Amino acid sequence: MAEKNGKVGLVERIKASEIWQSIFRYDHQDSPRGRAISGFHNFFLHIYPVRVPREVLRFRYSFRLGFIATVLFAILTATGILLMFYYSPSVPGAYFSIHEIQTRVAFGQFVRNLHRWSAHLMVVVAGLHMLRVFYRAAYKAPRQFNWVIGVFLLLITLALGYTGYLLPWDQLAYWAVQVGTNMASYTPFIGEPLRRFLLAGPEIGASTLLRFYTLHVVVLPAALTLLLAVHIWRVRKDGFAVGEAEAPEAGRAEMRVGG
């Protein structure tokens, strides 16, 4: 009993400390106002709405496609970091480092396959998510801006798949670079500068691989992370696409709780 009281006292002292209170500024209260305050002062809770319509909780409403795409991106990030420890972004070393990952690194083949199949699934799931939003007309006012963000997220997802496909730097990668950059050169007004930017020079070389590697592991993931955070936050601000009978009440609840 004394040991239990000692543990309770330790917990209370921790919660009363300045460090704890600087992180958790409000005690959790099981009430609408307490839950709202907890959400407003927590980033991970604040990007989600305090209340959602009942229809949104049904699996058939969205099939959780957005959530699945986010989980796949998290898997890609984790497995990609593991692969970066062994991958060499150089012309003589890229192919052999991939071969070493698959043959000599413990669970290397598994991690690479997990990374590759997650990338394929993310493209499919993101496309299905866009189709679901279009089918339910969830792109209409006031969600037009979030639809545009979703389009950019899909384009970045495709770009991530393309740049990752080139990193083994084999014959397939070489000709994929050739075809992709030639297609980019036909972009109106900026075609040739865009092609030279992607190639990091007038023709394919060692700088080309480094350019695509930088895009794949830094630029595109950072852009996707930023837009994904804004995308989820806009869902909270714009509300959900529900039936006409539920929409006004959902909007009033959001205005009342979220301000």
Side-chain angles (χ1 to χ4, degrees), residues 150-166:
V151 172
F152 278 105
L153 285 171
L154 179 61
L155 293 177
I156 294 175
T157 300
L158 295 175
L160 280 168
Y162 175 69
T163 54
Y165 180 75
L166 310 177

Side-chain angles (χ1 to χ4, degrees), residues 26-217:
Y26 295 90
D27 293 333
H28 175 72
Q29 300 176 8
D30 192 11
S31 64
R33 183 176 183 276
R35 288 190 291 270
I37 291 176
S38 299
F40 295 154
H41 293 85
N42 186 301
F43 170 78
F44 299 101
L45 296 178
H46 185 68
I47 59 177
Y48 285 98
V50 178
R51 295 181 181 180
V52 297
R54 185 182 298 273
E55 181 182 345
V56 176
L57 300 177
R58 297 172 183 160
F59 178 76
R60 292 183 60 185
Y61 172 79
S62 64
F63 300 101
R64 304 295 185 266
L65 293 172
F67 174 76
I68 294 172
T70 304
V71 172
L72 289 172
F73 178 59
I75 294 174
L76 284 167
T77 301
T79 54
I81 292 173
L82 292 176
L83 293 173
M84 287 172 61
F85 282 108
Y86 300 96
Y87 177 76
S88 174
S90 60
V91 172
Y95 178 81
F96 293 105
S97 61
I98 293 294
H99 184 267
E100 183 177 359
I101 288 172
Q102 296 183 145
T103 57
R104 296 188 178 183
V105 177
F107 300 102
Q109 180 75 58
F110 172 76
V111 173
R112 187 183 179 228
N113 286 342
L114 184 61
H115 189 79
R116 182 179 61 182
W117 283 106
S118 296
H120 296 333
L121 288 175
M122 185 175 173
V123 172
V124 173
V125 171
L128 292 176
H129 182 53
M130 295 285 289
L131 289 175
R132 201 279 310 176
V133 172
F134 180 80
Y135 174 75
R136 294 190 65 93
Y139 57 87
K140 295 182 178 180
R143 292 172 290 273
Q144 304 98 315
F145 179 65
N146 213 18
W147 169 262
V148 175
I149 294 177
V151 172
F152 278 105
L153 285 171
L154 179 61
L155 293 177
I156 294 175
T157 300
L158 295 175
L160 280 168
Y162 175 69
T163 54
Y165 180 75
L166 310 177
L167 296 184
W169 209 245
D170 50 9
Q171 282 294 314
L172 290 175
Y174 178 87
W175 291 111
V177 172
Q178 193 75 268
V179 173
T181 53
N182 285 339
M183 291 175 62
S185 67
Y186 288 97
T187 305
F189 305 111
I190 61 170
E192 190 57 31
L194 178 61
R195 179 178 180 274
R196 293 179 66 89
F197 169 77
L198 293 175
L199 292 178
E203 58 185 17
I204 300 176
S207 299
T208 306
L209 174 59
L210 186 59
R211 179 63 53 90
F212 279 107
Y213 177 73
T214 304
L215 289 172
H216 186 73
V217 304

Side-chain angles (χ1 to χ4, degrees), residues 8-21:
V8 173
L10 177 61
V11 171
E12 294 300 326
R13 288 197 299 272
I14 293 175
K15 289 185 176 181
S17 64
E18 292 185 5
I19 296 177
W20 179 274
Q21 292 183 1

